[in-house]
């Protein structure tokens, strides 16, 4: 295989692009300058852009890699979840979406734990404690769920907080609320419950 310079008899024609090894010798070290902080920077705009992007994606000290997640999912089982605006009803749709969520959650966080809390009749009950087995969670979400009464978000949050308080500080503690009700029937001020950490 012969290069373009050989094909044209060693002469460059306008519009022909040359291979990198066929171009004139470049003094790339002349493009590098020292900035005010003493760091080396490239004068070439493309190189400067690459440096900015590289700095942007560097890990900051606040990012914790390998974090173990502990999460409770609160599922609204109030009478509102039997509405048929989503087919077959809101609760069934929510549980199907949660099944997909469980699968993705454990694909991305294999050593994490997930628990399920149901709230209805102004009460909250732990359907499944923190568990690291996605198959058990999927079976729980596919099981028989009944709907009745009103949602109590405060009781559900209190139950989740009690289940997460023993988790060590190196792991994250999270609560995901899946609800279809617009109101909550709480025994006290829910904002004081939210403020407690």
């Amino acid at each position: 295989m012969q290069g373009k310079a050989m094909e044209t008899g060693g002469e460059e024609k306008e519009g022909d692009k040359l291979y990198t090894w066929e171009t004139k010798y470049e003094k790339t070290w002349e493009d590098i300058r020292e900035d005010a902080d003493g760091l080396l920077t490239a004068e070439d705009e493309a190189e400067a852009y690459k440096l900015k992007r590289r700095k942007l994606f560097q890990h900051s000290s606040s990012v914790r890699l390998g974090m173990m997640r502990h999460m409770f999912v609160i599922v609204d089982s109030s009478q509102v979840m039997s509405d048929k605006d989503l087919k077959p009803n809101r609760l069934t749709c929510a549980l199907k979406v949660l099944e997909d969520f469980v699968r993705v959650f454990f694909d991305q966080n294999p050593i994490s734990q997930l628990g399920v809390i149901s709230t209805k009749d102004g009460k909250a009950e732990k359907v499944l404690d923190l568990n690291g087995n996605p198959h058990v969670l999927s079976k729980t979400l596919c099981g028989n769920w009944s709907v009745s009464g009103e949602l109590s978000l405060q009781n559900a949050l209190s139950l989740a907080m009690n289940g997460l308080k023993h988790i060590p500080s190196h792991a994250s503690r999270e609560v995901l609320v899946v609800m279809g009700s617009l109101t909550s029937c709480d025994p006290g001020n829910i904002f004081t419950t939210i403020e407690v950490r």
Side-chain angles (χ1 to χ4, degrees):
M1 182 171 143
Q2 298 177 353
K4 290 183 180 179
M6 297 294 272
E7 294 171 5
T8 60
E11 297 174 6
E12 280 186 56
K13 293 183 179 178
E14 274 189 49
D16 285 346
K17 287 189 175 182
L18 297 175
Y19 292 106
T20 305
W21 61 87
E22 294 176 331
T23 61
K24 290 184 181 179
Y25 184 69
E26 297 177 14
K27 298 178 183 178
T28 55
W29 59 87
E30 291 178 353
D31 292 338
I32 298 175
R33 301 281 180 240
E34 192 172 340
D35 66 2
D37 298 328
L39 300 173
L40 297 178
T41 59
E43 280 190 356
D44 185 17
E45 287 184 28
E47 288 298 318
Y49 178 73
K50 285 181 186 177
L51 285 173
K52 280 184 184 178
R53 296 286 294 172
R54 198 174 304 136
K55 285 181 183 178
L56 179 67
F57 287 112
Q58 285 178 344
H59 294 293
S60 66
S61 61
S62 64
V63 176
R64 297 183 346 192
L65 300 177
M67 183 176 20
M68 291 177 19
R69 297 173 70 183
H70 294 78
M71 178 186 289
F72 270 109
V73 178
I74 297 173
V75 180
D76 179 2
S77 296
S78 64
Q79 191 62 41
V80 174
M81 293 299 278
S82 66
D83 287 355
K84 299 191 183 298
D85 52 351
L86 299 172
K87 299 297 181 199
N89 61 35
R90 287 184 186 179
L91 183 63
T92 305
C93 288
L95 293 175
K96 284 183 182 178
V97 170
L98 280 174
E99 282 182 62
D100 293 337
F101 172 77
V102 166
R103 184 180 44 78
V104 172
F105 180 83
F106 281 107
D107 283 346
Q108 294 176 356
N109 310 288
I111 58 171
S112 296
Q113 305 241 331
L114 198 65
V116 181
I117 294 173
S118 172
T119 175
K120 61 183 174 183
D121 294 327
K123 300 175 186 170
E125 70 174 284
K126 202 178 289 185
V127 177
L128 184 66
D129 206 356
L130 290 173
N131 193 323
N133 189 342
H135 301 296
V136 172
L137 285 154
S138 293
K139 280 185 180 180
T140 302
L141 294 172
C142 289
N144 283 338
W145 286 69
S146 61
V147 295
S148 66
E150 292 289 325
L151 157 87
S152 176
L153 190 56
Q154 185 177 16
N155 289 338
L157 285 175
S158 296
L159 185 60
M161 285 171 35
N162 287 336
L164 293 172
K165 69 181 175 185
H166 68 279
I167 303 298
S169 63
H170 68 272
S172 76
R173 294 173 278 203
E174 305 169 66
V175 177
L176 173 68
V177 180
V178 179
M179 60 186 277
S181 179
L182 296 176
T183 60
S184 177
C185 181
D186 299 319
N189 187 354
I190 190 169
F191 295 109
T192 57
T193 306
I194 292 171
E195 287 177 8
V196 175
R197 293 178 187 175

